[in-house]
Amino acid sequence: MPDPKYAIEVRDLRKTYAATGKMQEKQALKGISLQIPTGSIFGLLGPNGAGKSTFINILAGLVKKTSGTAEIWGLDIDAHPRQSRAAIGVVNQEVVADPFFTPFEMLELMAGFYGVPKAERRSVEILTALGLADKKDAYVRQLSGGMKRRLMVAKALVHNPPVLILDEPTAGVDVELRRLMWDYVRELHANGTTVILTTHYLEEAEELCDTIAIVNHGEIIACEPTSKLLSRLDYKTLIITPREPITAIPAELAMHEPKLRPDGTLAITFKTAETGIGRLLEKVRAAGISIADLSTKSPDLEDVFIALTSDKVA
Ligand code: ADP
């Protein structure tokens, strides 16, 4: 069978969590439609509470959708619950590893759980690919935090799924480990796995994903190739700390609509394609502002939201 065009396809997916105790009813997904092409690294980007985990958990069979349809690898999750789930490996944020098993034993156990015949198991190969070959027979409790995370990825791969879903793969991990995880994700992708990851770091989505969907309050507010999304954000903000307090915006800078901030700094947002920072600094000096310190800031997730939800830019 040829690979399907879309690894995941959902239509008008909705989830309302029922009210419990003091918790009010919560509409976590408000009708999401998405087509995730086979072979992509697809990022689902959004702040905490946006509905990312709910989406992943519906695909994984851990949360029951309220309505809508979902197909994994061309298989409807209602009509083919077992087959569709066999096509995905899901890595959640929690690290659940039995301390008394070795990594090798854990993978063998998982493979058995998925009904992978002994002759087809690839436990050593997977551990090697994730840099855990020399820890194969160590106790899991002896592994570092980063190794445990990689073991979670390994566990999700035992049944050789064509689609790997990573829910916030680098939340709470240090910069070094984050880079390592990114390398693994790229490698898996290079070997033909479709990768879907959720993140609330714009940087992570930007670095890894070829396509990004932005989800907010249970709705997709944008879904487009990463380069296109970023081209909407071709601006930076220059932040200047003046030596002497500024009391009024100088006329020389008026066209850039600078903002005088409560901490006494001056923030000037400029289109990187139109205005060079050198020219801007010349204008600042021409305006008689003596610079004590300066920095620039690139757009972050919050800025993406502002850009996408304001009519001016969209
Ligand atoms: P994200 O993964 O983007 O942080 P979630 O999917 O975890 O978002 O949550 C979406 C919304 O649904 C949040 O408001 C959250 O509080 C709510 N929610 C998540 N799980 C449950 C649950 N089991 N019961 C009730 N509300 C929930």
Side-chain angles (χ1 to χ4, degrees):
M1 273 237 301
D3 289 349
K5 187 170 178 199
Y6 300 113
I8 306 281
E9 192 168 9
V10 304
R11 270 181 237 102
D12 202 20
L13 196 63
R14 289 170 194 271
K15 174 66 192 178
T16 303
Y17 291 104
T20 47
K22 282 187 202 141
M23 292 281 286
Q24 287 187 336
E25 178 181 281
K26 176 76 199 175
Q27 238 187 312
L29 295 181
K30 300 174 183 165
I32 281 187
S33 297
L34 267 185
Q35 292 172 322
I36 302 182
T38 296
S40 61
I41 304 192
F42 189 95
L44 202 58
L45 178 70
N48 286 326
K52 304 181 298 293
S53 296
T54 300
F55 176 76
I56 302 299
N57 288 335
I58 289 172
L59 296 177
L62 300 171
V63 165
K64 201 172 172 320
K65 63 184 162 61
T66 305
S67 66
T69 61
E71 284 180 15
I72 303 172
W73 212 243
L75 298 158
D76 185 276
I77 61 167
D78 292 331
H80 307 281
R82 261 183 344 111
Q83 277 169 291
S84 62
R85 260 120 213 174
I88 47 170
V90 181
V91 186
N92 284 313
Q93 277 175 65
E94 305 100 277
V95 175
V96 248
D98 192 312
F100 299 106
F101 285 113
T102 69
F104 178 77
E105 286 166 346
M106 270 185 66
L107 295 204
E108 286 294 304
L109 216 68
M110 266 325 264
F113 174 76
Y114 276 107
V116 181
K118 274 230 156 56
E120 289 172 26
R121 293 187 191 167
R122 305 179 304 130
S123 302
V124 174
E125 187 190 322
I126 295 168
L127 288 172
T128 306
L130 287 162
L132 293 169
D134 59 336
K135 299 288 172 195
K136 159 177 169 294
D137 300 317
Y139 281 117
V140 169
R141 61 169 184 265
Q142 295 167 334
L143 303 186
S144 70
M147 290 174 185
K148 282 185 191 143
R149 283 226 173 210
R150 279 182 267 153
L151 183 57
M152 294 301 106
V153 178
K155 262 178 76 180
L157 293 172
V158 291
H159 57 301
N160 204 14
V163 187
L164 183 68
I165 300 184
L166 303 158
D167 195 3
E168 301 265 358
T170 61
V173 309
D174 61 34
V175 177
E176 201 182 331
L177 179 56
R178 183 172 302 170
R179 297 243 158 235
L180 256 179
M181 293 290 291
W182 289 355
D183 287 342
Y184 290 127
V185 170
R186 284 200 195 94
E187 210 172 298
L188 284 165
H189 177 250
N191 290 331
T193 306
T194 301
V195 179
I196 297 158
L197 64 94
T198 73
T199 182
H200 59 267
Y201 299 117
L202 175 63
E203 188 203 1
E204 182 157 274
E206 189 180 330
E207 180 84 20
L208 283 178
C209 303
D210 50 47
T211 310
I212 298 177
I214 299 188
V215 53
N216 197 24
H217 298 303
E219 289 173 307
I220 302 283
I221 58 171
C223 179
E224 51 193 51
T226 306
S227 55
K228 190 167 168 219
L229 187 75
L230 294 176
S231 71
R232 300 203 204 195
L233 299 168
D234 63 340
Y235 64 85
K236 279 192 170 184
T237 303
L238 173 67
I239 298 156
I240 291 169
T241 309
R243 277 190 205 286
E244 308 292 331
I246 300 173
T247 46
I249 302 293
E252 290 88 340
L253 295 172
M255 64 170 290
H256 295 290
E257 298 179 20
K259 305 256 178 325
L260 201 51
R261 309 199 303 181
D263 62 359
T265 58
L266 192 67
I268 308 170
T269 297
F270 62 103
K271 284 249 178 204
T272 40
E274 289 168 14
T275 313
I277 193 153
R279 286 244 336 266
L280 201 55
L281 284 172
E282 276 168 26
K283 283 189 187 178
V284 171
R285 281 195 208 99
I289 296 172
S290 166
I291 300 170
D293 197 6
L294 62 85
S295 62
T296 60
K297 180 182 158 299
S298 298
D300 56 20
L301 184 53
E302 200 171 315
D303 298 316
V304 179
F305 283 121
I306 294 166
L308 290 173
T309 46
S310 87
D311 298 333
K312 251 198 317 196
V313 187

